[in-house]
Amino acid sequence: MFDDRSPIYLQIAEQIKNDIVTGALAEDEQVMSTNQYAAFYRINPATAAKGFAQLVDEGVLYKKRGIGMFVSPNARLLLRTGRQDSFFADVVDPMIREAKAIGVPLKDVVQHIRREDRVW
């Protein structure tokens, strides 16, 4: 489940974010407790708690005292908007710069994308 590329608590946070973006976790749905998460994945509870705390800090999860952690209202929209911004900054903008550098007209890039879109 976890790899060595980044700290486990970040991978936990990313997994929960992915579950929210894909709809596997809905807004206001309760998530596993940090102890349940730690037991299920056989990790230190403090590591799980650190991942959950990051999500609370980011506004993705919220705590109901004595009950547990829940997915924040609008968490999916918040995450999708952030990922869309990253997609354009990390993928599309560099692609456009490379296309210009090698002399590919932007209209050809758009035409190629439209052709690939029809394949889906």
Side-chain angles (χ1 to χ4, degrees), residues 2-117:
F2 301 112
D3 59 43
D4 293 336
R5 290 181 281 154
S6 65
I8 291 174
Y9 79 93
L10 291 177
Q11 293 178 60
I12 291 167
E14 198 58 37
Q15 177 187 5
I16 292 169
K17 287 177 182 180
N18 285 337
D19 287 346
I20 294 168
V21 168
T22 63
L25 283 172
E27 294 173 356
D28 291 314
E29 183 176 342
Q30 188 170 10
V31 297
M32 279 193 281
S33 72
T34 55
N35 288 333
Q36 289 170 323
Y37 203 92
F40 185 80
Y41 290 107
R42 298 178 190 192
I43 60 171
N44 187 316
T47 301
K50 190 171 180 179
F52 279 61
Q54 177 178 326
L55 295 172
V56 169
D57 291 346
E58 292 175 10
V60 174
L61 297 180
Y62 68 94
K63 257 185 227 185
K64 284 187 181 179
R65 189 178 176 124
I67 299 174
M69 297 276 209
F70 294 80
V71 177
S72 296
N74 296 319
R76 187 169 191 231
L77 178 63
L78 172 76
L79 292 170
R80 288 184 75 183
T81 300
R83 287 188 180 187
Q84 288 169 2
D85 292 345
S86 294
F87 172 75
F88 284 105
D90 299 341
V91 177
V92 176
D93 293 345
M95 177 187 65
I96 292 169
R97 284 192 298 275
E98 179 66 11
K100 284 181 181 179
I102 62 173
V104 176
L106 190 53
K107 67 178 181 58
D108 290 354
V109 173
V110 171
Q111 183 179 32
H112 183 79
I113 291 169
R114 285 191 175 132
R115 186 171 44 250
E116 288 298 314
D117 187 42

